[in-house]
Amino acid sequence: MSAVLSSAPAQTSVRPQVDGFHLVIDALKLNGINTIFGLPGIPITDLTRMAQAEGMRVISFRHEQHAGNAAAAAGFLTQKPGICLTVSAPGFLNGLTALANATTNCFPMILISGSSEREIVDLQQGDYEEMDQLAIAKTLCKAAYRVLHAQDIGVGIARAIRAALSGRPGGVYLDLPAKLFAQTMDAAAGKASLIKVVDPAPRQIPAPDAVQRALALLKGAKRPLIVLGKGAAYARADADVRALVERSGIPYLPMSMAKGLLPDNHEQSASAARSYVLEQADVVMLVGARLNWLLSHGKGKTWGAPNPKQFIQIDIAPTEIDSNVAIAAPLIGDIGSCVAALLAGMGANWAKPAAEWTDSIAERKDKNLSKMAATLALNPSPMNFHSALGAIREVVKARPDAIVVNEGANTLDFTRSIVDMYEPRKRLDVGTWGIMGIGMGFAVAAAVTTGKPVIAIEGDSAFGFSGMEVETICRYNLPVCVIVFNNNGVYRGTDINASGGADVAPTVFVKGARYDKMMEAFGGVGVNATTPKELTLALNEAIASGRPTLINAVIDETAGTESGRITSLNPQSAAKKK
Ligand code: ADP
């Protein structure tokens, strides 16, 4: 225990005391949590200092949202809740966006915010940064708790960890009023009050009849398909997931953050024939993937309607089943246990899908892949998305251990389909909401938790949301190379102001901006790259040196489409379609 405030001086009757600050630190450490992402300020400044003094890694950000995003990504990468620490009211609200996003993505994190005093907040008497934070957080995360007494800190942290990790992972809010930190109690009693959480994410074994139902459906399928989602990546059942795909011989589609669970150049990957397999498959097995907008809700033209489809869904959350369409064979449990049960039930003589199905997929894949190879081989000037990503694709192939962070509109869509991933959990992106702003937070977390090189591929608009965190990257000297795809604007840089007025169009940025200078301002390396060759050189150099680097990749400002691949979600386009 680290936290003895006063060891007995002259009178032996004075027992050592511990304060709330140290009880929080000790409770986290006791549970193997050694990193805090946060932003110091009243009332948690001393908590950050003391945590560092007690050997925790404290990564300070420039804005709480990015600290929160870092905590969320750390949770996804480590299966331990990432911790984000903020001040009250505005700091809390900034962190809350990340907490809600983590919950939506099923990433475990805990947002710990200092808060004003209950007595004043509840009577609305106008305290410094007064806000009823607990009430606000409750609706936006999986669970929310407040601790008022030092002796309850152990319970509060234990409950937060268990809520974040068990079942479907998610975000938890922990409200710690300023007064709590200064409370003291007997050190021995304090130590005894802490809880080391036993089995925080218990295995959930699927029911044998549910396994048999799923296997029977799969066996009868003529054109089966497996869809791997980020739940499967999170679950870390990598060897069994791969065995399931390979022993069944079933073609699979990885959702974007499940890329690399099996290498993208695996012969059973159907990514290059995505539309075809979604349309044609008769039985689809979802492994840690939800039938939300990213999968067109499991219905409609994308899914070959009116062709009938049957779904098997492996998920830890029973209420996810039937969320969009009927699920014929739900398999509820943790992915590791479910996949192991399927493998055991398949036996050695499982009949692989008919060649008619797999050959027809291979044919389409070959066609689409050669089309893509031809596009990537072009070398237009200025660069476009394809030529720049063609260069990055080769670097990632040579460094499959590097983590790719990716956000933007066109930059996101093109990267996802062009840059292959080869290892699990090496791709972090905009996730379930399809948001922007995760870039630098995710990049910092990836570097801090893995120590591997990080390549953040960013649209110029997306980068703007978290760009100031390049200072954080430089301050901690992290091996992060940010590549800004600079086409002078949101989607494109060519929009014009329809009124003819002096202001540029809402989607246009400063032309020819030099984002690389931002990294130089903080002592990192900045490179302006105008050709794929320059881009390759700079990226290889960044990976070799491990120095914080920002490459301003100059992209043709006419390249890019409105909203990337989700143009149809713009109200005007949606109305036209009706
Ligand atoms: P994607 O966006 O890649 O399609 P989603 O985030 O939509 O993935 O889906 C992930 C799903 O995985 C969620 O429904 C979640 O409940 C589930 N999940 C997360 N962890 C596990 C686990 N360990 N075992 C089983 N299911 C899990």
Side-chain angles (χ1 to χ4, degrees):
M1 182 103 167
S2 57
V4 177
L5 286 181
S6 55
S7 47
Q11 303 122 313
T12 45
S13 61
V14 179
R15 299 199 11 121
Q17 298 284 298
V18 62
D19 62 17
F21 288 113
H22 287 90
L23 286 166
V24 171
I25 295 163
D26 290 338
L28 292 172
K29 283 171 67 179
L30 182 66
N31 284 287
I33 296 173
N34 298 309
T35 305
I36 290 176
F37 303 95
L39 204 158
I42 297 172
I44 50 91
T45 315
D46 282 339
L47 184 59
T48 61
R49 288 195 191 105
M50 292 175 188
Q52 194 174 49
E54 297 296 344
M56 292 189 84
R57 187 109 201 253
V58 180
I59 307 291
S60 268
F61 282 76
R62 305 300 293 260
H63 188 288
E64 292 88 351
Q65 191 173 318
H66 312 308
N69 285 326
F76 172 74
L77 289 170
T78 65
Q79 283 190 326
K80 277 184 200 161
I83 304 293
C84 173
L85 183 64
T86 79
V87 301
S88 32
F92 154 78
L93 288 172
N94 288 343
L96 197 56
T97 304
L99 185 71
N101 187 46
T103 307
T104 304
N105 281 294
C106 315
F107 297 163
M109 77 170 268
I110 302 174
L111 173 68
I112 301 179
S113 296
S115 59
S116 305
E117 302 317 333
R118 298 289 338 135
E119 302 84 338
I120 302 178
V121 173
D122 290 350
L123 272 172
Q124 299 175 28
Q125 292 176 310
D127 203 359
Y128 167 72
E129 294 188 355
E130 176 183 297
M131 178 173 275
D132 190 356
Q133 296 168 194
L134 185 69
I136 293 167
K138 257 183 192 160
T139 58
L140 292 168
C141 60
K142 200 176 158 190
Y145 307 103
R146 173 161 40 232
V147 181
L148 291 175
H149 305 293
Q151 63 266 32
D152 292 331
I153 287 174
V155 168
I157 299 250
R159 298 211 72 188
I161 291 172
R162 199 172 279 288
L165 289 177
S166 60
R168 171 184 278 178
V172 176
Y173 174 62
L174 193 60
D175 192 86
L176 303 183
K179 261 201 258 177
L180 175 78
F181 296 114
Q183 281 180 31
T184 58
M185 66 183 288
D186 178 81
K191 185 173 181 180
S193 74
L194 302 185
I195 295 174
K196 183 167 169 49
V197 180
V198 177
D199 196 12
R203 288 173 66 203
Q204 295 189 22
I205 314 292
D209 56 329
V211 176
Q212 288 315 315
R213 193 188 295 123
L215 283 170
L217 189 54
L218 211 52
K219 206 171 224 162
K222 296 212 158 36
R223 295 179 305 282
L225 174 70
I226 293 174
V227 176
L228 301 174
K230 60 181 172 301
Y234 173 78
R236 289 183 175 260
D238 306 341
D240 273 358
V241 167
R242 185 169 184 150
L244 177 71
V245 170
E246 291 183 343
R247 266 174 53 195
S248 70
I250 298 174
Y252 74 95
L253 272 184
M255 299 300 287
S256 67
M257 282 180 60
K259 276 164 71 73
L261 209 43
L262 283 85
D264 276 338
N265 56 0
H266 194 283
E267 63 164 355
Q268 285 172 255
S269 167
S271 291
R274 188 176 192 273
S275 321
Y276 177 72
V277 291
L278 288 180
E279 226 176 77
Q280 295 295 321
D282 60 349
V283 173
V284 180
M285 180 156 74
L286 302 159
V287 185
R290 285 170 283 185
L291 283 175
N292 54 21
W293 70 284
L294 290 162
L295 281 169
S296 307
H297 304 284
K299 52 195 168 193
K301 228 172 86 197
T302 309
W303 290 88
N307 290 342
K309 294 258 180 254
Q310 287 192 293
F311 289 96
I312 301 164
Q313 185 162 22
I314 303 182
D315 207 291
I316 204 156
T319 49
E320 185 57 40
I321 307 304
D322 301 332
S323 60
N324 285 271
V325 294
I327 302 295
L331 194 50
I332 303 306
D334 67 278
I335 283 165
S337 301
C338 291
V339 172
L342 288 174
L343 280 168
M346 277 166 65
N349 302 317
W350 183 265
K352 296 199 169 177
E356 201 186 329
W357 173 230
T358 49
D359 288 352
S360 68
I361 297 170
E363 198 184 303
R364 273 155 183 95
K365 257 178 78 172
D366 289 349
K367 215 165 85 197
N368 290 339
L369 288 175
S370 16
K371 233 195 308 188
M372 181 189 295
T375 317
L376 295 181
L378 299 174
N379 189 6
S381 178
M383 285 193 286
N384 61 14
F385 289 95
H386 285 89
S387 61
L389 286 166
I392 297 170
R393 169 188 158 99
E394 293 309 310
V395 178
V396 172
K397 194 173 184 181
R399 280 305 298 258
D401 60 327
I403 296 181
V404 169
V405 173
N406 186 205
E407 62 176 336
N410 293 283
T411 306
L412 174 84
D413 293 335
F414 287 122
T415 304
R416 190 177 50 224
S417 54
I418 294 172
V419 177
D420 284 341
M421 305 307 300
Y422 304 89
E423 295 179 8
R425 295 169 294 283
K426 296 296 184 191
R427 187 184 150 86
L428 302 173
D429 68 24
V430 303
T432 302
W433 269 345
I435 50 152
M436 298 206 196
I438 50 88
M440 297 306 102
F442 277 18
V444 168
V448 166
T449 57
T450 71
K452 298 283 181 193
V454 178
I455 306 169
I457 307 173
E458 302 273 315
D460 49 354
S461 164
F463 174 68
F465 288 76
S466 64
M468 188 63 202
E469 301 296 346
V470 296
E471 190 275 334
T472 308
I473 291 169
C474 288
R475 188 164 14 108
Y476 293 100
N477 194 25
L478 299 173
V480 174
C481 178
V482 183
I483 305 171
V484 177
F485 275 50
N486 186 355
N487 65 350
N488 294 342
V490 182
Y491 312 131
R492 276 184 305 265
T494 49
D495 263 8
I496 44 166
N497 177 343
S499 79
D503 288 346
V504 296
T507 53
V508 167
F509 295 148
V510 168
K511 304 237 181 219
R514 291 289 300 274
Y515 293 98
D516 48 314
K517 301 279 181 199
M518 285 177 68
M519 195 59 111
E520 286 177 359
F522 302 108
V525 178
V527 180
N528 190 49
T530 57
T531 64
K533 204 166 156 199
E534 287 171 2
L535 182 50
T536 304
L537 266 173
L539 180 53
N540 277 330
E541 175 57 30
I543 292 175
S545 72
R547 289 190 61 195
T549 301
L550 194 152
I551 305 172
N552 183 54
V554 181
I555 303 289
D556 184 350
E557 68 170 1
T558 66
T561 53
E562 177 87 12
S563 307
R565 268 181 218 156
I566 51 173
T567 308
S568 62
L569 298 182
N570 279 333
Q572 232 185 351
S573 321
K576 267 189 214 148
K577 253 173 61 179
K578 278 189 184 151

